[in-house]
Amino acid sequence: MIQRLWWASLITEAWKRRSIVWLSGVRRSGKTMLCKGIDGARYLDCELPSVRRELADPESFLKASGNQPIILDEIHRLDDPALILKIAADHFPGTKVIATGSSTLGASAKFKDSLSGRKADVRLTPLCSADNAFPHSHDMKRRFLHGGLPGFFLQDLRDDRDYGEWMESFWARDILELFRLDRRASFLKFAELLFAQSGGRFEASSMAAPCGVSRTTLTSYLAMMEETFLVGVVRPYHGGSPSEIVATPLVYGFDTGFVAWSQGIHEIPPKDAGFFFEHVVLNELYARLQTRDVFHWRDKRGREVDFVLAPRGKPPLAIEVKWHSDRFDPAGMKAFRALHPGWVNIVVSSDTVHPFTRSMDGLDISFCSLESLIATLAP
């Protein structure tokens, strides 16, 4: 079992800001195990009828709970899940609550209140460097092939049936329940295409015919997938220059194991290591920064920067991902900095052990490992 201690500390910090924590993440990402590991908390599975009956009178339940921390797993199973959270936040601020779900809170029509100002959000991602699950290069390649869902990562042999069953469960337990969608084949075909083309540009017109639906429908499907964390949509960063790509996002599958599964890969070819490492770096940014505001930059000459962060009131940060650091070409970053001045330029690579800085084409470039990436981001 993987001890996800960093995530437990993240929840503790979130509780200092708000008494309610919304813990989201795709199914089987480890939300239940994480919650059950919190000392002194009472765990309730809202899928159980007995639990739903106990929670039918939220005020009485909260009074009886005192100040004991409460875990409400799969809270969307309640008829009015926002009600107990709102009452807890407004009238029992000493009671700390974690509510879990497989999507953003706003994705479910059951939530009649957004709980704005009443909750802190924690998004649990597939395994990241803080989990200390893949400290060595052979573990990283295992991470590529098996993916970062803890149960899948720990398997000795990858079983493709597990990924297919997960997708069926995702459809039945998330998409059907949250969005009442009735076109299973079209939706799953679209997901398959996105995984197979992960990291590519989203062109709805090229996928509409294979999926048997319109471009508009695919755009709505993409929004559902983003809300339920099945994909990461990396939108273009731009500043208004006519030379920049401004409209077409990149779409990444949420997990390398599912990308490998969709592509029929059972061993990671050396030439594809950089491709899968890019997915792991994106997951690292989502996890450690707890934001989905990660962008991509590209101009009409094909020069690009893998990821861009745009902190409010500060120059943008540029990040390039390379499996081998000596493969880095500064041309894309130099073109980006000609339009968007800034001083944080990072190359994250698998073969960098200790961070170092090198001057290249007039830019100071910081080279770092995945483990030191977040520290390197600090200006």
Side-chain angles (χ1 to χ4, degrees):
M1 188 175 71
I2 298 171
Q3 297 290 332
R4 309 191 76 178
L5 302 178
W6 180 80
W7 295 94
S9 68
L10 198 62
I11 289 174
T12 300
E13 289 301 312
W15 263 337
K16 292 178 181 179
R17 304 192 305 273
R18 298 282 189 274
S19 62
I20 309 296
V21 171
W22 177 254
L23 177 64
S24 61
V26 297
R27 60 183 56 258
R28 298 189 65 179
S29 57
K31 299 188 297 295
T32 297
M33 291 300 295
L34 177 60
C35 288
K36 286 183 174 180
I38 295 177
D39 290 339
R42 185 186 175 196
Y43 173 84
L44 297 106
D45 184 349
C46 297
E47 287 192 320
L48 299 176
S50 59
V51 169
R52 294 199 293 271
R53 288 194 296 271
E54 185 177 0
L55 299 176
D57 183 348
E59 185 177 358
S60 296
F61 169 79
L62 290 166
K63 283 181 180 178
S65 297
N67 288 334
Q68 181 183 23
I70 298 167
I71 314 295
L72 299 175
D73 203 2
E74 301 287 337
I75 193 175
H76 64 277
R77 298 289 180 180
L78 303 180
D79 290 334
D80 186 359
L83 179 61
I84 187 172
L85 300 181
K86 184 177 180 181
I87 292 173
D90 292 349
H91 302 286
F92 298 88
T95 301
K96 299 186 183 302
V97 179
I98 298 174
T100 80
S102 298
S103 68
T104 62
L105 185 145
S108 175
K110 279 190 172 183
F111 280 89
K112 302 177 178 65
D113 192 303
S114 67
L115 302 177
S116 177
R118 294 185 174 94
K119 64 175 177 61
D121 291 287
V122 174
R123 176 190 169 190
L124 183 64
T125 69
L127 296 172
C128 68
S129 66
D131 297 308
N132 296 316
F134 41 94
H136 307 295
S137 60
H138 66 277
D139 295 322
M140 180 63 77
K141 291 182 179 179
R142 178 190 185 91
R143 169 68 171 81
F144 294 165
L145 188 62
H146 289 242
L149 300 186
F152 288 26
F153 176 79
L154 292 172
Q155 288 177 340
D156 290 333
L157 296 175
R158 196 186 78 177
D159 189 336
D160 284 353
R161 290 173 296 184
D162 292 337
Y163 298 85
E165 290 171 2
W166 188 97
M167 288 299 298
E168 290 291 345
S169 178
F170 170 77
W171 163 260
R173 303 285 297 280
D174 294 324
I175 299 302
L176 273 182
E177 290 189 5
L178 291 175
F179 302 105
R180 307 299 182 189
L181 199 63
D182 60 359
R183 304 200 61 166
R184 171 184 169 278
S186 295
F187 184 90
L188 292 179
K189 178 64 175 178
F190 182 47
E192 177 188 325
L193 290 174
L194 289 178
F195 283 161
Q197 302 173 27
S198 186
R201 288 168 181 77
F202 175 61
E203 298 286 355
S205 56
S206 66
M207 298 183 181
C211 296
V213 294
S214 68
R215 294 173 56 188
T216 302
T217 298
L218 288 188
T219 300
S220 69
Y221 285 1
L222 184 64
M224 295 176 196
M225 292 178 181
E226 188 176 17
E227 287 288 303
T228 51
F229 310 119
L230 190 71
V231 298
V233 180
V234 180
R235 295 173 172 82
Y237 182 88
H238 59 88
S241 170
S243 67
E244 295 177 301
I245 301 296
V246 301
T248 308
L250 306 182
V251 179
Y252 288 80
F254 82 99
D255 181 66
T256 57
F258 284 82
V259 172
W261 166 72
S262 71
Q263 297 181 359
I265 295 174
H266 292 85
E267 184 175 342
I268 303 298
K271 66 180 180 62
D272 289 341
F275 167 79
F276 284 98
F277 189 52
E278 189 172 307
H279 287 70
V280 170
V281 170
L282 179 60
N283 181 76
E284 186 79 6
L285 295 172
Y286 285 157
R288 304 295 297 277
L289 300 180
Q290 286 291 294
T291 181
R292 288 198 281 180
D293 290 334
V294 179
F295 303 91
H296 170 77
W297 181 83
R298 186 170 185 262
D299 68 11
K300 293 177 181 177
R301 294 177 57 184
R303 297 173 298 187
E304 56 189 336
V305 173
D306 290 329
F307 301 124
V308 174
L309 302 177
R312 188 181 299 275
K314 297 181 180 179
L317 292 73
I319 302 170
E320 274 285 298
V321 180
K322 295 296 176 186
W323 185 242
H324 296 295
S325 58
D326 59 5
R327 303 286 176 85
F328 170 65
D329 181 345
M333 201 168 281
K334 184 176 181 180
F336 174 75
R337 285 305 182 197
L339 294 174
H340 306 285
W343 54 84
V344 182
N345 308 301
I346 297 171
V347 175
V348 55
S349 67
S350 68
D351 59 355
T352 298
V353 177
H354 301 292
F356 64 92
T357 300
R358 178 176 297 163
S359 180
M360 303 179 72
D361 280 6
L363 297 177
D364 287 334
I365 310 293
S366 298
F367 290 77
C368 68
S369 64
L370 179 70
E371 292 74 14
S372 60
L373 171 62
I374 301 305
T376 307
L377 288 173

